[in-house]
Structure formats: structure tokens, C-alpha cells
């Protein structure tokens, strides 16, 4: 492949790498990794395997959680001298629960150009396959390690209307799900996505109590890298509306299209048509 990307000097490239399937790296990412002066990697041994697979000979520089603040200044000096640098993590998009924040912040503070090179991200991959609302969502990373802190944190999200996205590890997945069940109730709808893009990729969508049962049936199901996606909080529209309005809506639904029935009730009771329309849809599904 000939180079189609012009590498700019004194530029930091944030390069996403595969989360499992090595075929998910982009052509642009390969091009950049081939031609930058330096590749800053979370784990140089892990990244060395990827680069070897891609037949890329690159100079690697370690940048991980324990040395980032110290090494960021050194990398900024290299960028100021005119070097081009690619930042990669072990898998997925750098900075998304991976190192890189301090480096990117320092680059902006020193007027160094930062260029994102999009690609794989476990949170987004799981979200788009979840069947839960994607128009508004919030990414929460890993839940707290201790149960007390985890429950407090989950309680703070109890009435969050947006879809919630979490990462979780093998050794905490069961404890976290049990705490989710305690806070949100056993019927809370969620999606578990594990080992995305790998041979054992699994995506399960069900109430939390069913998911706990499924995981307990086989300990091997509890192994892997997990994304948890929780349905956002939904207000009970029926409790907020005038009972007479609800009664009329149900009666009109028997004779008219829902859209027309909702418009008539909204006009008579001074309510929002969209709210009544949603209530009608919910009652149909029930």
C-alpha cells in the first residue's frame, strides 16, 4: 500500500486500534503508524505484536497510567522539536478508559496540533448493537471497585434518562450486576456485550435477574471483557396524567388512529400531544 496520508511534523495523532479482530484497523491508521517518527504505546510489548502483524517497524515509547504525567512533558518536547507521534492504547480508542488525557491536554496548552484517527471503541460497538436508545447516552467507564461506593454511585444514576454505558472486568462482573439489581430492581433492562469482535463474542439483552441467572449457569460466561448498557430511567406517564384523559384516550384508540386520538385528548385537557401518543404506544405494547 502506498502512502496516501501526509504526515505533518509536530503533530500528535490519536490512533484507534482493534479491540479484538485485527481486521478492524483502518487503512489510515496503518498509514500513519508506518510513517510517524514515534509511537507512544500503553504497553509496548502488546502493541509490538500488533505492529508486527501489520509489518510495521516503528520506534515505540511507553506511555501508561503510572508514567503519563512524567512522560507527557518529554513527548511534548519531542513534538516541539518537529517529530510526529502516534498515540495508541492496548485496544480501542486512546483516552477512553485508557492513558492519554494528560498528554493531549499538554499538547493543547503548548499549541501542538492533535489529530484524531477514528476506529474501534468497545463502548460504541456495544451501544449500536444493544437495541437500546442511542440518541442520548452517557459513558460512565468502570464502576467503583467496592460495593458500598458502587451502590452509592448507581443510586446517583437512578433517574438518569439517558442510556448508561459501563465497562466491567471478569472478577467484578457478578458483584456489579447484583448491585445493579439491588438499586434498579430485578426487571431493569440491560445489555451485556463481551469479547466484542472476537471468536466468543456474545451480546445478551434481558432483565438483570435473567442475566445473573445466565452467567451463573456457566462460570466461563463470567470471563472476558464486558460492556454493560442499561436502559435509561422512564417516567410513568400514567401517574402524571389526569385519569379521565387516559380513560378517554383508551376509548378513542378503539375507534381512531392513535395520532388522531392523542390530538383530540391533548386539545380537550391542555396536554402535550407527543406525551399522549407515547402513552398510547406503551399501552399497545403492553
Amino acid at each position: 500500500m502506498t502512502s496516501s496520508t501526509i504526515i505533518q511534523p509536530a503533530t500528535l495523532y490519536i490512533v484507534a486500534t482493534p479491540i479484538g479482530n485485527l481486521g478492524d484497523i483502518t487503512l489510515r491508521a496503518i498509514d500513519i503508524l508506518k510513517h510517524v517518527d514515534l509511537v507512544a504505546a500503553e504497553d509496548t510489548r502488546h502493541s509490538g505484536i500488533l505492529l508486527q502483524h501489520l509489518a510495521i517497524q516503528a520506534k515505540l515509547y511507553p506511555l501508561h497510567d503510572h508514567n503519563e504525567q512524567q512522560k507527557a512533558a518529554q513527548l511534548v518536547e519531542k513534538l516541539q522539536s518537529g517529530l510526529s507521534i502516534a498515540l495508541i492504547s492496548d485496544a480501542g480508542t486512546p483516552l477512553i478508559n485508557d492513558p492519554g488525557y494528560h498528554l493531549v491536554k499538554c499538547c493543547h496548552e503548548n499549541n501542538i496540533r492533535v489529530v484524531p484517527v477514528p476506529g474501534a471503541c468497545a463502548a460504541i460497538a456495544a451501544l449500536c448493537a444493544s437495541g437500546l436508545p442511542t440518541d442520548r447516552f452517557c459513558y460512565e467507564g468502570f464502576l467503583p471497585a467496592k460495593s458500598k461506593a458502587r451502590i452509592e454511585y448507581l443510586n446517583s444514576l437512578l433517574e438518569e434518562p439517558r442510556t448508561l454505558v459501563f465497562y466491567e472486568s471478569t472478577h467484578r462482573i457478578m458483584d456489579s450486576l447484583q448491585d445493579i439489581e439491588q438499586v434498579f430492581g430485578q426487571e431493569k433492562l440491560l445489555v451485556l456485550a463481551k469479547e466484542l469482535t472476537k471468536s466468543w463474542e456474545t451480546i445478551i439483552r434481558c432483565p438483570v435477574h435473567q442475566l445473573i441467572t445466565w452467567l451463573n449457569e456457566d462460570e466461563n460466561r463470567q470471563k472476558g471483557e464486558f460492556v454493560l448498557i442499561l436502559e435509561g430511567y422512564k417516567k410513568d406517564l400514567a401517574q402524571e396524567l389526569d385519569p379521565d384523559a387516559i380513560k378517554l384516550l383508551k376509548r378513542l384508540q378503539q375507534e381512531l388512529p392513535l395520532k388522531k386520538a392523542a390530538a383530540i385528548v391533548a386539545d380537550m385537557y391542555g396536554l402535550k400531544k407527543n406525551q399522549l401518543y407515547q402513552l398510547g404506544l406503551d399501552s399497545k405494547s403492553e
Side-chain angles (χ1 to χ4, degrees):
M1 182 179 65
T2 58
S3 175
S4 58
T5 303
I6 299 175
I7 302 297
Q8 299 293 331
T11 299
L12 176 68
Y13 294 90
I14 312 297
V15 181
T17 55
I19 58 177
N21 190 317
L22 295 179
D24 288 339
I25 193 157
T26 67
L27 295 176
R28 183 181 176 213
I30 294 172
D31 219 14
I32 288 170
L33 291 172
K34 276 185 177 180
H35 295 97
V36 290
D37 297 307
L38 191 67
V39 176
E42 182 180 4
D43 184 332
T44 54
R45 292 169 299 179
H46 182 94
S47 296
I49 295 171
L50 172 66
L51 295 177
Q52 185 178 14
H53 171 79
L54 297 171
I56 295 174
Q57 292 183 340
K59 185 176 179 182
L60 289 168
Y61 186 97
L63 185 78
H64 47 75
D65 285 329
H66 302 295
N67 73 358
E68 184 183 352
Q69 293 197 46
Q70 171 192 351
K71 297 292 186 180
Q74 297 175 16
L75 287 171
V76 166
E77 288 181 5
K78 294 180 184 296
L79 287 159
Q80 289 174 325
S81 73
L83 294 185
S84 57
I85 298 176
L87 172 66
I88 61 176
S89 60
D90 286 349
T93 301
L95 281 80
I96 308 302
N97 246 99
D98 281 326
Y101 164 72
H102 293 290
L103 175 58
V104 172
K105 181 172 176 283
C106 286
C107 285
H108 283 289
E109 290 171 349
N110 288 276
N111 296 316
I112 293 169
R113 188 181 180 210
V114 178
V115 175
V117 184
C121 176
I124 299 302
L127 181 66
C128 70
S130 69
L132 293 176
T134 58
D135 54 336
R136 296 181 70 228
F137 64 92
C138 52
Y139 168 72
E140 297 290 331
F142 282 92
L143 286 164
K146 302 293 184 181
S147 182
K148 182 180 177 181
R150 189 162 54 234
I151 288 173
E152 288 178 357
Y153 191 72
L154 289 169
N155 271 309
S156 73
L157 299 170
L158 197 53
E159 295 188 359
E160 170 57 63
R162 295 171 293 180
T163 301
L164 296 165
V165 183
F166 303 96
Y167 285 163
E168 197 47 276
S169 60
T170 293
H171 61 283
R172 289 207 303 262
I173 184 65
M174 294 305 298
D175 290 339
S176 289
L177 287 172
Q178 287 163 4
D179 288 342
I180 288 170
E181 182 180 34
Q182 178 180 328
V183 172
F184 291 92
Q186 66 175 10
E187 295 299 326
K188 182 68 173 180
L189 181 62
L190 60 76
V191 173
L192 177 146
K194 59 173 290 192
E195 301 297 275
L196 288 170
T197 78
K198 301 175 185 176
S199 299
W200 300 104
E201 176 181 276
T202 304
I203 300 174
I204 301 290
R205 184 178 187 269
C206 61
V208 63
H209 74 95
Q210 291 182 19
L211 183 55
I212 291 172
T213 299
W214 181 81
L215 288 170
N216 276 326
E217 287 172 351
D218 185 348
E219 286 190 2
N220 288 321
R221 293 173 179 173
Q222 301 173 27
K223 298 176 182 178
E225 297 175 340
F226 298 90
V227 183
L228 296 175
I229 306 178
L230 276 65
E231 183 178 37
Y233 172 74
K234 289 183 177 179
K235 291 183 178 180
D236 189 343
L237 296 178
Q239 291 182 2
E240 295 182 349
L241 299 177
D242 187 325
D244 290 337
I246 297 172
K247 186 177 179 180
L248 178 59
L249 178 66
K250 290 181 177 179
R251 179 68 184 87
L252 289 176
Q253 274 185 267
Q254 298 174 14
E255 307 293 338
L256 298 170
L258 175 56
K259 188 174 182 180
K260 182 65 175 176
I264 293 172
V265 177
D267 184 59
M268 289 185 64
Y269 286 87
L271 300 171
K272 292 181 179 179
K273 183 167 60 177
N274 289 344
Q275 194 176 36
L276 289 163
Y277 184 80
Q278 184 60 52
L279 181 62
L281 290 176
D282 292 343
S283 65
K284 276 185 176 182
S285 63
E286 291 171 3

